[in-house]
Amino acid sequence: MSDVKVCKFGGTSVATAAQMRKVKAIIEADPARRIIVPSAPGRAHSDDAKVTDLLYLTHEMASNQQDIGPVWNRIVERFQGLVSDLGLDLDLSATLEEVRARIQSGAGADYAASRGEALNGLIVAALLGATYIDAAEVVRIAPGRRIDPASHALIRAACADDAQRYVIPGFYGSDQHGQVLTFSRGGSDVSGALAAAALDAAVYENWTDVSGVLAADPRIVSGSRTIAEITYGELREMAYMGASVLHDEAVFPVRERGIPINIRNTDRPDDPGTMIVNRREPGDQIVVGIAGRAGFTVFALEKMMMNVEVGFGRRVLDVFERFGIAYEHTPTGIDTMSVVVADEAIGEGRGEAIAEELRAAVHPERLDILPGMALVATVGLGMNHHVGVAGRLFSALAQAQVNVRMIDQGSSEQNIIIGVEADDLHKAITTIYQEFIAS
Ligand code: ASP
């Protein structure tokens, strides 16, 4: 492992000159922060637009033979504004004009969108006195917008001088023919993770506008605590339940190599943020976080002697497969089996058709479709080592009058998932938070 730190800055961290100055101070505070991966400028204020969205819009307008002029001027103002507010000796006019001409004459959506990062990277490099690397030359993107492992050697070769800082714009790269491609939205996270993996970084610092991952959604639990340390596995459970932290694909490259991710706040650089690690010692901490979301339906089947009927489960799941539906959970009892499915996977009006097929497939004595369910995951490695966690969880919920409709404890024993009425979602999360985290 090298001592280099790869620092990715999200859109809000590079949206204005004032934010950019914070970035400069952060980078200069630590000589190991040598690789900088910036996003395109995000919203400068709440009713502003993200540069990436404006760029997609110019592409769309150009494809409809419309004049991109007015939208393009807004983009130019954002970039020229940054250059002049930062007092940089950098003339972007020719580059901007070339980009405008290419978009107006039909360049692809990926090319258009990628220019937010490409242009911003030039500004960040000028601000930091760093070497600019065009991501198209070092980030190879394979079909499906996935990382092509060939990128690793290219990044290593381009960042070979330990005495230099390098700026690699996020979000884009190119295919094997040199055609510019982007990752999916939010993909600068992926670029940062790739650079960290390629350089075997000591840490991947992901700078954003929050001081880390919160133990619960702050819209539900106000003043929710920041998680100091969480494993990749625990984070995955939280993310599955809707806690949005990082782009999904940003985790794999670093996780694989055991490189920790540190989520940091550009506005509060002294906050330690959240460390995402491969392994940790939970100590006395039982629960690390709670996440939940509504929008699930349960297909509840009941049949006497189901437990000895060979192939019952397979036939049930086969029906869902035929409908092209991935199921979320299948809690079972001796004579019961439930299949929990996300509403968006069922789609409008297919519930009855699925029930029909289930009846034909396994002849249940009873089959109920129970819509309006929410799932809540209580996550924490510490649950493994403590007696009575489930007892505490369920008595707290009972006291709060939350009716638990389903229980599923994953074999990893780092989570307990419960199903509650969608109306009880917030109450359930608040209750569990009070029981295990606030106290
Ligand atoms: N600028 C891109 C987006 O808005 C990528 C990123 O910021 O991560 O999706």
Side-chain angles (χ1 to χ4, degrees), residues 241 296-298 328-332 338-341 373-376 394 403-409 416-421:
M241 280 301 170
F296 295 94
T297 292
V298 184
E328 308 292 328
H329 299 276
T330 55
T332 53
S338 296
V339 183
V340 183
V341 183
M373 193 162 79
L375 296 181
V376 177
F394 293 113
N403 179 24
V404 177
R405 280 168 46 179
M406 182 206 93
I407 304 168
D408 192 359
Q409 176 164 33
I416 297 178
I417 293 176
I418 55 162
V420 298
E421 304 285 342

Side-chain angles (χ1 to χ4, degrees), residues 345-365:
I346 301 174
E348 278 303 298
R350 287 206 301 172
E352 247 331 297
I354 296 167
E356 263 321 299
E357 297 245 345
L358 285 170
R359 283 187 197 101
V362 292
H363 312 289
E365 273 139 33

Side-chain angles (χ1 to χ4, degrees), residues 8 11 39-40 50 52 117 171 185-189:
K8 180 258 173 180
S39 280
K50 292 182 178 185
T52 308
E117 270 72 7
F171 190 39
R185 291 303 301 265
S188 294
D189 278 348

